[in-house]
Every structure is written in C-alpha cells, then in structure tokens.
Amino acid sequence: MELDVPTLLMMLVLTPVLIALAMVTVAWGERHEGLQFWAAGLGINALAYVFFGLRNDISPPISILLGNGLTSLALSYLLAAVLRFQRRALHWPMLLLPPLLLSFALLGLLDNFPLRVVVANLVLAGQTAAILQALYVRRSSTAGRGVALVMAGTALQLLVLLLRAGSGITGALLPQSFLQPGLLQNLTFLSTFAASLITSLGFVFMTKERADEANRRLAALDELTGVANRRSIIAALDRDVGRAIRTRESMAVMMVDIDHFKAVNDTHGHLAGDQVLRCVVDVIQHRIRAQDIVGRYGGEEFLVVLTDTSAQGAQQLAEQLRAAVEATHCTYTGASISVTVSVGVFGGRLEPGDSWDQLIHAADLALYRAKQGGRNRVELAQSLGRVTREGVTSSSPETYPPPLA
C-alpha cells in the first residue's frame, strides 16, 4: 500500500503543533513539571519536518542542516522535559551539544549521502536512548502508567532510527527517496507519528498522575508533621482491627499526648510549638517498625497503631518512647525546649464485634490515668470495655475521663 508522503508530512507537522498548544494551555500558570519543554520539543520537531518537506523547494543543504539540526534540538528539549519532571538539574551546554555537533558533522558530509544517513540517525538514536535511559532509571519513583507509555513510544522511535542507520550502511536508502513513497519511508513517518502521540499522551499522564498522587498525600497526611492525619489513621486502625480479628493476632494502640503543651506555646510561641510537634513525631517514627503507623489524632495528641503486638510489648515500647522524648531536646531558633509525654496503651487479642473506637477509648482512658498520675508516665488499659450480657461495659463508669483542663 502506497501512502501519500505530503499528507504524512502534514500530519507530522500539524499533530505535534496542536498537541504542543494544548500542553501550553494546560501548563500555563501552573507548576513547571516539564510540559513547557515537551511542548517546545514538539514545536521544534514540527518545524524540522517543514524543512524536510521543502527539500525540493529550497536549497537542499539548508533542508538537510536545518531539518536534522532541529530534530536533534527537539530531542534535547524532550530530554530536558523528562529531567525537569524528575527534578534533576538541567545542564544546557550538554543538552545543546548534540544539535551543534550534528550540524557541523552534516556540513562536512553533504556530498556523502550514505555516511550522512548513518551519522544523523546514530546521533538521533543516541539522544533518544538518553531519554529512554533517564526514564528507566527513575521508573520506580514515577507513579502510574504514563511513564510506560513514554518509554514505549521512545523505544519505538529508537528502533526506527537504528533501522534507518542500518539502511544507510547497506545502501537501502537512496538520496531521492525521502519524499517518495516506500516501505522504509512509510515506516519512518508512521512510527514517528505514532511515537509522537504515544509519548506526548504518556507525558501528560505522568504529570496528571503526579498531581493526583500529591492530592492523595495531602488528603491523607497531616500538613504540619507529615504523618497520617486523623481520618487516615482511623482508616488504618479500622483496617488493622478487621485483620487482627480474622487472624486472631494481638494488636495494640498507643495514645501519646505532649505534657503541658500549652505552656510551650505560651512561653516560646506557636512556631516553637510546631517544631516540638515535629520533634516528638520524629522520635516516635524512629522507634516503631515499618508496618506500624503513627498519626496526629488531634492537637498535641498522636495515635500509634501497632500490628501483631501484645500489651506487654506495646507497654515496653511506650516506655522507651517516653524516655526518648524526655531525653530529647527540641531546638528552635537556638533555644532548647524539653518536653515529656504521657502515654495510654491498649493491647491484646480482639474478638468479633470489637471496633476501632473501642481501642481508642480504652487507650484514652489509660492516657487519662497517666495524666492524673502526674504525667510523663505510661499507663496500660485494663480492659477494652466490651458490652456484657447485662448491657453494661466491663469498664467502670468512673473510669470515663472528664475533660482535661
């Protein structure tokens, strides 16, 4: 099947331009995630095909030098877009070196068509491989499937460039064949068109997936301390309670409250209080396991969920945390601020019908006793407060804490 070369060239010019305009519109005024560089690369590549298409209407050397030079420059901008997305440093002299070297090399090879084809396609293949390598080494840190699309489109383009370089070596590509229909030219144009669509859509998906991931993190994390917020820590506790009931494994929770935190704010200021919160969180995070989770339950109170942990194990850990916080000096603008914590602990095996709020209530009762006992201490909950057959909880009514002043 013979395809109309002018039509293919028109597609290779108009499609990238339209995609680039859409990208610029989307990225206008937003955080620079590389979309602007990608759009610039598409626009430059479209301009390159304009010069390729004018091969019979302008001076051939101009068409050759500008067409290949701009194609190489476009790849440099696409690599810059990937590096910017990955928040890596951009070294523009290195990025702009391939287009300059290619232009000078082709200037000396204008009369040697086979070698010119080999050199041009190998340089372009090297730049394409650099894009693929940059994506591959950071693929695990890029959320979503957009990166897979970009890698697939880039690999397709790399394969065609290597095929064209091989055709220059074997003599399968003739000087007059660029604007004439043929298997290799059709393959080149169609693969370039497909690669442009696939990689561009993939890059847009990459930026969207990153934004979605950032929104999910903002919705799940406490902005000040970086740990789980109240909603997500309760969701994690609810999930772990269900699993503990199914597996008949022990689990524990700790309610950790900073003692006299209001006095810290009144004496040192609220920014110092924020630093104290972060300091205490850091102490907790360095002493719990990877499978455990800490979240800010409210104010200066933190909830720690410990999977597969007995009451005794949780109590020992709570005592270690209490001692560690007491020994830690939080610094703010040169001032050293010492704080202590009170900890309420519940641990044990759960039964069908137990719920996350019962665990929090039991740990809260223990925390209240720790506060009443003088603070800077750990108290273990005596029971979960399950409902008996008579409809009365196993916790005594007098153990329910009144509001703390």
Side-chain angles (χ1 to χ4, degrees), residues 64 76 99 116 138 142 152-153 206 210 217 240 261 300:
I64 293 169
S76 294
R116 191 176 76 219
R138 297 289 183 94
T142 307
M206 284 169 60
R210 170 176 282 179
R217 289 179 60 84
D240 289 340
F261 184 70
E300 67 273 21

Side-chain angles (χ1 to χ4, degrees), residues 240-272:
D240 289 340
V241 165
R243 182 172 58 193
I245 292 174
R246 291 192 304 271
T247 60
R248 299 294 297 159
E249 293 178 349
S250 297
M251 73 168 296
V253 295
M254 296 190 302
M255 295 295 291
V256 182
D257 187 87
I258 302 175
D259 298 325
H260 303 295
F261 184 70
K262 184 177 183 299
V264 173
N265 285 331
D266 293 342
T267 305
H268 301 281
H270 286 84
L271 293 179

Side-chain angles (χ1 to χ4, degrees), residues 54 173 227 282:
L54 295 175
L173 197 62
V227 297
D282 188 61

